[in-house]
Amino acid sequence: IARDIIETASLVNGAGVGIELARAKHHANDPYFLQPMDGVDSTGYRASWWTQFYCILWRSWLSVLKDPMLVKVRLLQTAMVASLIGSIYFGQVLDQDGVMNINGSLFLFLTNMTFQNVFAVINVFSAELPVFLREKRSRLYRVDTYFLGKTIAELPLFIAVPFVFTSITYPMIGLKAGVSHYLTTLFIVTLVANVSTSFGYLISCASSSIS
C-alpha cells in the first residue's frame, strides 16, 4: 500500500511538473510575457498596491512633462476658441434675443468641452496597449492602479482647460455676475470636461488599435 501511495504521488508530481513546463513553454513564445523574477510567486504581484500606483503615477507624470509643447498648444487652442466664442456673443443683455444668444453660447460651452476632451485622449490606451499587456501579464501591476495613475497624472490639464475656457468666455458674454455663479459654472464645465475624458478613455479601451 505504501509503495502504491508513493508511486501515485510521483505520478501526480510528474504531471504537475509537466503542466508547469508546458505553461512555461507557452509563455516563452508569448511576446507580451516577461519571465517571473526569482523569489516571486507566479500568482502574486511584484509590489504592493501603493507601490504600483506610485510608479505608474510617476511614469505617467513624466510622460506628460516630456512633451510640454503639447500642453502649451492645448491651452493656446482653448484660449483662442474661448476668445472667438466670447467675441461672437460679446456683451449679451437679458432681453428676448439675449436669452436665445446665451442659450447658444451655453451649447457651445458643452460641445467644445465634450469633443475637445474626447479626441484628446481617444488614442491613449490604444497606443500603449502592447506595453500594458506585456507588463500586466508579467504581474507588474493591476489594472486599477494603471488606470488611476494615468488619469490622475493627466488630471491637472483637464482642470486647467475648463478654467481657461470659462475664465475668458464668462465675462465676455456677460453671464450672471458674482463669484458664486462663476464658480458654479466652472464646476459644471469641469465636470463635463472630465466626463468627456472618461468617455474618450472608454472608446480607447474598447478599441484594439488607433485606426
Side-chain angles (χ1 to χ4, degrees), residues 38-80:
D38 294 335
V40 179
D41 188 3
S42 60
T43 60
Y45 291 94
R46 302 185 181 185
S48 63
W49 191 94
W50 285 108
T51 304
Q52 298 174 30
F53 173 73
Y54 173 78
C55 293
I56 294 296
L57 178 62
W58 181 249
R59 187 177 71 175
S60 302
W61 178 247
L62 289 180
S63 65
V64 172
L65 296 180
K66 190 166 58 178
D67 195 1
M69 183 58 64
L70 180 62
V71 177
K72 295 178 182 179
V73 167
R74 285 205 60 193
L75 293 177
L76 180 61
Q77 176 188 4
T78 302
M80 292 177 63

Side-chain angles (χ1 to χ4, degrees), residues 79-121:
M80 292 177 63
V81 173
S83 300
L84 179 62
I85 295 175
S87 301
I88 295 174
Y89 296 98
F90 184 79
Q92 298 297 319
V93 294
L94 290 179
D95 54 11
Q96 185 68 30
D97 294 333
V99 170
M100 296 179 62
N101 292 334
I102 290 175
N103 286 335
S105 65
L106 294 179
F107 173 77
L108 290 179
F109 263 68
L110 298 179
T111 55
N112 183 73
M113 285 295 100
T114 299
F115 291 106
Q116 179 181 357
N117 289 282
V118 166
F119 288 105
V121 300

Side-chain angles (χ1 to χ4, degrees), residues 83-187:
S83 300
L84 179 62
I85 295 175
S87 301
I88 295 174
Y89 296 98
F90 184 79
Q92 298 297 319
V93 294
L94 290 179
D95 54 11
Q96 185 68 30
D97 294 333
V99 170
M100 296 179 62
N101 292 334
I102 290 175
N103 286 335
S105 65
L106 294 179
F107 173 77
L108 290 179
F109 263 68
L110 298 179
T111 55
N112 183 73
M113 285 295 100
T114 299
F115 291 106
Q116 179 181 357
N117 289 282
V118 166
F119 288 105
V121 300
I122 202 170
N123 63 340
V124 170
F125 290 111
S126 298
E128 298 184 3
L129 186 61
V131 176
F132 169 75
L133 290 177
R134 183 175 69 247
E135 296 177 346
K136 175 64 177 64
R137 292 175 184 176
S138 301
R139 315 292 289 179
L140 291 179
Y141 48 75
R142 305 170 186 267
V143 178
D144 55 347
T145 55
Y146 174 76
F147 181 80
L148 289 175
K150 284 197 64 63
T151 303
I152 295 177
E154 298 178 355
L155 187 62
L157 179 61
F158 296 120
I159 293 178
V161 168
F163 175 77
V164 171
F165 184 83
T166 307
S167 299
I168 294 176
T169 54
Y170 196 93
M172 290 184 68
I173 296 174
L175 299 177
K176 192 170 184 179
V179 177
S180 61
H181 302 298
Y182 165 76
L183 293 178
T184 302
T185 305
L186 179 60
F187 177 71

